[in-house]
Amino acid sequence: MLAAVLLAVSACAAGGPGAGHGDGTRAPRSGPGPGTAAMRGITLPSWYRTDYDSPAADRYLRDIRATGARWVTLTPTWYQRGRADTAMRPTEETASDASLTRIVGRAHTAGLKVMVKPHVDLPGDIDRAEIHPRDRAAWFTAYRRFITHYAGLAADTGVEQFAVGTELAGVSGDSAAWSGVVAAVRDRYPGPLTYAANYDEYQRIRFWRKLDLIGIDAYWPLTGGPTTDTARLRRAWTPIRERLAAYARRQGRPILFTEAGYVSQRGATAAPYSWEVSRHPGDAEQAAAYRALLGSFTGRRWWAGVCWWMWDDWPHSGETPARLAYTPHGKPAEDVLRESWNGG
């Protein structure tokens, strides 16, 4: 169905890794997608400077690997003081460089490949999409410093894939500035690159062809209310999948779900992006949603896989009780992963 995507990727690859085109775009570098195994990943975020040095880290990595996952995504985060601020800074909530370096090594030892996906966040519960700096040039100068810092760390530690940004809809329309960001990252990091666009943002991105994969945080609402009907959820994915297939073909890039996930609460499929859908546990709904996504996309040649949001919170750091949170650990959704990724 999407042979055009494969031909486009193959034609680009014929020019050699990272080869350019006459229009200034780049050939996709090797990464999850056509011709390779789709990413089977789970995100392990950090909320504090020493999280990645936690005594739980090795156990979390082993448990992630046991699901059949082959990738883990790590999310060092800097913070802005406000929406209009022109700089971002590390805080006590930022994973230290030393801890990030160590957990990359531990992940590799556990048999996991690593994607580093740095985040910029705002205080409290303000959505990072609301970042609208008063001086965009100054903000992008600061952002290049931030992102190339982690690109260099990723290169030094052998990280297999890197994201140049995450859900920055308030500034992601500035294609020229992002082209500069991507070029600066490529000067530091040799591997495949993506950008993690929110599900309602990706079509506004104009720099996909500077990157190797289209990244989408796949939090599409699928229902109007609670359901455990996997067939119904798969039907809801059908028109979305068709649009994505056409988009991948037009861009000549595979699509990676840089995030996807569901809290284990009733109604999660109606608002997958929300931590607080209801106060009622919804393990069966979460599992049905996992099964529907994997059943809808696995085997599609243009689909580069998924990195689920998220594994366990660190001990004593979770604001949402684990029984209601995004983690599939110890729930039927974890069984879905094992069945799909391990064959049982």
Side-chain angles (χ1 to χ4, degrees), residues 67 138 188 205 221 227 261:
T67 66
R188 299 286 187 94
I205 302 298
T227 184

Side-chain angles (χ1 to χ4, degrees), residues 147-223:
I147 202 68
T148 56
H149 169 75
Y150 286 110
L153 189 150
D156 291 343
T157 55
V159 163
E160 286 83 2
Q161 190 161 284
F162 189 79
V164 302
T166 299
E167 296 178 0
L168 293 167
V171 292
S172 62
D174 194 333
S175 298
W178 280 100
S179 294
V181 168
V182 174
V185 169
R186 291 211 186 268
D187 283 343
R188 299 286 187 94
Y189 176 76
L193 300 179
T194 189
Y195 169 85
N198 200 38
Y199 74 97
D200 58 358
E201 174 196 7
Y202 77 95
Q203 294 184 81
R204 301 195 298 273
I205 302 298
R206 297 292 179 263
F207 54 91
W208 287 128
R209 295 195 183 192
K210 304 287 185 182
L211 301 168
D212 304 296
L213 301 103
I214 296 166
I216 301 178
D217 290 355
Y219 296 111
W220 278 275
L222 300 175
T223 63

Side-chain angles (χ1 to χ4, degrees), residues 61-92:
L61 292 170
R62 288 195 303 270
D63 289 347
I64 287 171
R65 182 65 173 79
T67 66
R70 296 297 178 265
W71 288 78
V72 63
T73 291
L74 307 173
T75 62
T77 304
W78 288 18
Y79 295 84
Q80 292 189 200
R81 294 195 179 107
R83 296 174 178 87
D85 201 3
T86 58
M88 60 291 305
R89 306 162 183 83
T91 71
E92 281 296 295

Side-chain angles (χ1 to χ4, degrees), residues 7 14 56 117 122 131 140 167 179 224 275 277 291 300 329:
L7 289 173
K117 185 163 73 70
L122 290 165
I131 292 173
F140 273 104
E167 296 178 0
S179 294
W275 288 78
V277 180
R291 189 174 289 110
R300 307 284 170 171
H329 191 199

Side-chain angles (χ1 to χ4, degrees), residues 242-305:
E242 291 173 353
R243 290 196 298 272
L244 293 178
Y247 193 75
R249 181 171 61 246
R250 290 196 300 272
Q251 297 295 329
R253 296 291 186 275
I255 292 175
L256 171 68
F257 285 175
T258 36
E259 289 181 24
Y262 304 87
V263 290
S264 46
Q265 300 170 26
R266 290 186 68 244
T269 54
Y273 44 77
S274 176
W275 288 78
E276 297 178 345
V277 180
S278 74
R279 297 181 180 179
H280 303 287
D283 286 2
E285 185 166 359
Q286 182 191 46
Y290 269 59
R291 189 174 289 110
L293 187 151
L294 291 169
S296 295
F297 291 95
T298 298
R300 307 284 170 171
R301 296 292 302 277
W302 52 269
W303 189 62

Side-chain angles (χ1 to χ4, degrees), residues 42 59-60 62-64 66-67 262 264 281-284 286-287 290 310-313 321-338:
I42 297 177
R59 171 167 52 86
Y60 283 2
R62 288 195 303 270
D63 289 347
I64 287 171
T67 66
Y262 304 87
S264 46
D283 286 2
Q286 182 191 46
Y290 269 59
M310 50 168 262
W311 201 245
D312 278 355
D313 267 319
R323 68 187 181 89
L324 299 174
Y326 278 94
T327 178
H329 191 199
K331 303 172 185 175
E334 183 176 1
D335 296 332
V336 173
L337 291 181
R338 289 174 179 267

